[in-house]
Structure formats: C-alpha cells, structure tokens
Amino acid sequence: MSAEDARHRAESSEARAAAVSGIQELMRRKEEIEAQIKANYDVLESQKGIGMNEPLVDCEGYPRADVDLYQVRTARHNIICLQTDHKAVMKQVEEALHQLHARDKEKQARDVAEAQEEARSRSLGSNSPALPQAFAKVNSISPGSPASIAGLQVDDEIVEFGSVNTQNFQSLQNVGSVVQHSEGKPLNVTVIRRGEKQQLRLTPMRWAGKGLLGCNIIPLQR
C-alpha cells in the first residue's frame, strides 16, 4: 500500500468515526426529546387524563375548574414543539445513516478494487516469462569433453544451439552440421536447466574422446 493510500484510509476512518459519533449524539438527543414528550404527556394524564384535544371549558363555556389550565396548556405547547424537534432529529438521523451507508459502500468498493489490483500486481510479479520450447535434450556427457568444459549437464534441454533453434530444427543432422562447420569456434548454446534458462559457450574441438563435443543429444518429441 502506498503512503497516499494509507493517508486516504486514515482520513476515511477518521471521517467514519466522526459520522458514527454524530449519529450517536443525534440518537441521544432523540431519546431526550422522547423522554420530555412522555413527561409532558404524564402531566396531561395527571390532569384528569386530559389529552391534546379535550376542551378546556365546561358545557357552559367557562374554564374548567377541575384541571390546572396553565399546566395543561404548557404541556400541550411543549408536546407540539417537542414533536416538531423530534421529527427534525429523526430526519437528521435518517440522512446521517444514509451518508454513513453510502460511505461504507464506497469504502467497500474501493477495498475490493484495491485488493483486486494488489492480487493482479502480485500475480504479474510472480509470473516469470514463459520459457522457450526446447527441441533436444542432453542424455550423456563424457568427463573432460568440450561439452563438459562448457558446463553442459545431463538433462539440459536445448532451445538454441548456434544457428539451430526450435523454429528451424528438423533433425539432429542440423546440429551435426553446425558442429562440423564450427570446429574451434565458440557457439552460443541456450538450455533450460531445472526450469531456468542458461546461456553457455561451447567450442567444438578435437579431444581425447570421440567427436567434437563429447556428449549425446536426443531430439524431444513435442
């Protein structure tokens, strides 16, 4: 992860923490308002169970003497104001939750994209280039021979031998021809050894054994 990505993650975490804290504060305010609404309804209940809409005058049009009109009017007024406040707070809570959900969804999408990019980068970094196809294999080498001196080993798979390669190889006669025409001249030989490509310099020459190489090569069947 880059320093820039780390900074963005830190800022995102801080922003989310602030949003959660804001929502918690709104919820506390909501609970306070609800408690105040209940307390005012309790006041109405204590006044002969009068509610929000019962008349405060008797059948003759005079103020009721059985209730505290001031307490009832004050409680009703408080309830109306508190219900308005409650509605506003609930709207704020809804908007804050929506924003938090949108932020979390955006973060989740960003995390998925970063994970995919990291996996892709790791895959590209771990995949080495495809090895070229070999056309022949070394199955024996004589000690002290030119092939042995050049570093050729048994089971080396040959992908290039002088001018012979996978594209133009037809038979071992191609290799034999190159060897005969290159006596005393170094040849570039490319082999695959234990899954890795190796570059060698092999000089065909006369030595104590047979031939100019001192190794045996067999064609690979592909």
Side-chain angles (χ1 to χ4, degrees):
M1 181 190 301
S2 67
E4 186 70 12
D5 289 338
R7 184 175 66 82
H8 282 313
R9 279 183 176 271
E11 291 176 352
S12 178
S13 296
E14 291 175 3
R16 190 184 191 284
V20 170
S21 177
I23 291 172
Q24 290 172 340
E25 181 60 34
L26 287 171
M27 294 302 292
R28 282 192 293 270
R29 175 61 180 152
K30 165 184 167 292
E31 291 170 0
E32 289 174 1
I33 292 173
E34 289 172 348
Q36 291 175 27
I37 290 174
K38 182 180 183 303
N40 281 275
Y41 269 115
D42 288 343
V43 171
L44 296 181
E45 184 65 26
S46 70
Q47 297 296 316
K48 304 293 185 181
I50 197 168
M52 291 292 291
N53 301 312
E54 285 79 359
L56 299 181
V57 295
D58 59 21
C59 58
E60 295 179 359
Y62 292 101
R64 290 176 58 173
D66 61 334
V67 295
D68 186 329
L69 296 180
Y70 176 77
Q71 278 196 354
V72 171
R73 289 194 180 103
T74 300
R76 285 179 172 180
H77 174 75
N78 289 342
I79 289 171
I80 291 171
C81 293
L82 288 166
Q83 285 176 336
T84 300
D85 292 344
H86 187 269
K87 184 177 180 181
V89 169
M90 288 304 296
K91 185 177 181 181
Q92 288 179 291
V93 170
E94 183 181 354
E95 291 175 351
L97 287 172
H98 177 74
Q99 291 175 0
L100 181 63
H101 176 70
R103 183 180 288 111
D104 287 346
K105 191 173 182 180
E106 180 182 347
K107 180 181 181 299
Q108 184 181 18
R110 185 168 59 250
D111 289 346
V112 169
E114 288 177 0
Q116 290 175 341
E117 180 62 28
E118 184 178 349
R120 186 158 48 245
S121 299
R122 189 162 53 243
S123 175
L124 290 174
S126 63
N127 289 341
S128 56
L131 293 173
Q133 190 176 20
F135 61 83
K137 180 178 180 179
V138 179
N139 71 343
S140 68
I141 294 179
S142 299
S145 65
S148 177
I149 294 171
L152 209 60
Q153 296 182 11
V154 173
D155 292 332
D156 280 351
E157 295 187 353
I158 301 172
V159 297
E160 182 183 10
F161 194 101
S163 59
V164 181
N165 53 45
T166 304
Q167 283 70 36
N168 60 22
F169 175 77
Q170 294 179 341
S171 70
L172 290 178
Q173 290 181 352
N174 301 128
V175 176
S177 177
V178 169
V179 170
Q180 293 298 324
H181 289 86
S182 302
E183 184 176 352
K185 301 175 184 177
L187 293 172
N188 290 321
V189 178
T190 304
V191 301
I192 297 174
R193 181 181 299 162
R194 292 185 288 277
E196 294 183 0
K197 188 164 69 171
Q198 304 279 342
Q199 301 281 351
L200 306 174
R201 295 277 283 180
L202 172 58
T203 301
M205 64 179 66
R206 299 190 180 278
W207 62 292
K210 295 180 180 179
L212 300 176
L213 298 180
C215 67
N216 190 55
I217 297 172
I218 58 174
L220 288 176
Q221 300 297 326
R222 299 294 187 186

